[in-house]
Amino acid sequence: FARPLLDSGNVPTGGANAREVVVLLDTSYSMGFGDRWTRAQAGARDQLSKLNASDRGSVVLFGSGADIQLRSTGEKSRLQATVDSATPSPSSTRFSPALKVAGSILAESTLPKREVVIVSDFQRSGWRGEEGAKLPEGTTLTPVPVQDPADKPNLSVTGVTFARSAFSDQQRIVVTAGITNRTEQPVKGSSITLEVGGLTIGTKPVAVEGGSSTSVVFDAFTVSGKNMRASVKLADDALAADNTFNFVVSPIEPVHVTVVNRGSAASALYLTRVLSIGDTPKFEAVFRQSDALSDEDLRKSAVVVLNDIEVDAPLARRLARYVEQGGGMFVAAGPRARWPQDVDTLPATIGQPVDRTRGDAAR
């Protein structure tokens, strides 16, 4: 309200040695390996503790992107508290976004000295050399590496596959887990456990050579309900974040198909046999003539097959509503197939059959 005026040209800079320091703290996935994160936090706190009364500091967390947590402040306690509250993320490492953010902070600073501190395990994939990141002229760049002195073992679960079978009218699943050794050190004596619905189904031993992969097959279990939560878990190692793979299993339900036929089921003999072959998933087919197709049939059906029939306008409108509500419709366009022109549902118009058994082929 007093409308004070301050000439920016006369703003005190805090002395000739005052620094604008930006600490870039890597929070990417690999920073959770072993005790890297603990050492990274300690390294960042150590750099912040060196700030003098005239210095100002910023904390930027980065992975595949960069996020300014605290900008250009002289309060060391707040800066260190920001570092203490940070945690590793599931993102990859990219140095360019962090350096660009640091450059923007330094470019706006009025302090005479500028410095960027990078606390990271310096994954080689994080820098491609083409990012175009530049810091203001005269900026000091200080790396604080937190690589591990020794190669610690690290296994990860890369995924699971299922093999289904039936026994006494119950569906059973065999789970196979894929495992990769991310280091060059062989791993022996480890283990992996399958849990389904909070219960342990089995535990298997794991041995993987350095830089290679293997798979583990668990004993079959019965799928007793829909959306059963399950997971495979490796024993603890240097990086816990990739030791668990979560998934959901459910019984495979048959696909309900209604075949609209012009006669008896015998007239769709080949179609019946084709549908009976499928088992992943299975098909349950019912046969109806066009005048006997009820709304209940449509409600129960995932797919309606129009098996070379002539569809009148009332039936076409019912089928159009069925499709608009998410139902599937398959039209077998044989010599008897017809569809009314005033119901615009099909992607094309059904015309007269063309004989291509002789002459040039066509589509």
Side-chain angles (χ1 to χ4, degrees), residues 187-312:
V187 175
K188 298 180 180 179
S190 186
S191 63
I192 187 169
T193 299
L194 169 63
E195 295 183 359
V196 179
L199 301 176
T200 299
I201 301 299
T203 299
K204 299 286 185 177
V206 174
V208 193
E209 294 298 322
S212 63
S213 300
T214 189
S215 60
V216 173
V217 181
F218 291 94
D219 296 335
F221 65 93
T222 300
V223 185
S224 58
K226 293 183 178 180
N227 301 325
M228 296 176 63
R229 295 184 179 184
S231 62
V232 286
K233 298 180 180 180
L234 285 164
D236 292 341
D237 58 17
L239 183 59
D242 59 3
N243 288 354
T244 302
F245 190 95
N246 300 307
F247 55 98
V248 175
V249 292
S250 294
I252 293 182
E253 297 184 352
V255 177
H256 296 280
V257 180
T258 297
V259 179
V260 184
N261 224 30
R262 63 180 179 275
S264 65
S267 62
L269 175 63
Y270 295 115
L271 180 57
T272 304
R273 288 182 175 178
V274 166
L275 292 173
S276 67
I277 292 173
D279 58 1
T280 54
K282 290 185 176 182
F283 297 95
E284 287 188 355
V286 296
F287 294 84
R288 296 286 188 269
Q289 294 189 23
S290 58
D291 57 355
L293 181 65
S294 67
D295 291 338
E296 182 67 10
D297 291 329
L298 294 178
R299 187 186 65 79
K300 291 181 178 179
S301 300
V303 180
V304 171
V305 177
L306 305 181
N307 188 26
D308 190 20
I309 65 168
E310 182 174 353
V311 179
D312 58 22

Side-chain angles (χ1 to χ4, degrees), residues 24-186:
L24 305 178
L25 179 57
D26 186 354
T27 60
S28 64
Y29 179 75
S30 60
M31 293 296 288
F33 188 90
D35 62 347
R36 285 181 192 174
W37 182 245
T38 301
R39 290 186 285 118
Q41 288 179 303
R45 285 194 300 267
D46 178 64
Q47 293 294 321
L48 292 171
S49 67
K50 299 176 182 178
L51 295 176
N52 296 319
S54 58
D55 297 337
R56 301 181 70 84
S58 301
V59 173
V60 177
L61 306 182
F62 74 96
S64 55
D67 184 17
I68 301 175
Q69 297 293 298
L70 200 58
R71 185 183 187 119
S72 192
T73 179
E75 299 180 64
K76 286 197 288 186
S77 59
R78 289 184 62 200
L79 292 165
Q80 292 179 332
T82 301
V83 170
D84 291 340
S85 63
T87 57
S89 71
S91 66
S92 58
T93 305
R94 291 290 181 268
F95 293 106
S96 177
L99 291 171
K100 290 177 180 178
V101 167
S104 68
I105 295 174
L106 296 179
E108 296 174 3
S109 176
T110 60
L111 300 183
K113 291 189 176 182
R114 302 165 184 176
E115 182 175 351
V116 174
V117 178
I118 304 181
V119 185
S120 173
D121 59 356
F122 293 97
Q123 294 288 318
R124 182 175 298 181
S125 60
W127 182 258
R128 300 174 182 174
E130 302 174 354
E131 289 85 348
K134 294 182 180 181
L135 297 175
E137 185 177 356
T139 301
T140 300
L141 184 63
T142 303
V144 179
V146 291
Q147 293 98 331
D148 294 274
D151 189 17
K152 299 178 181 179
N154 175 34
L155 300 181
S156 65
V157 184
T158 55
V160 297
T161 58
F162 306 140
R164 295 178 182 264
S165 61
F167 180 77
S168 298
D169 295 328
Q170 291 183 319
Q171 293 189 26
R172 293 175 64 78
I173 290 182
V174 173
V175 173
T176 301
I179 303 169
T180 296
N181 188 347
R182 302 292 184 182
T183 63
E184 297 303 319
Q185 181 178 342

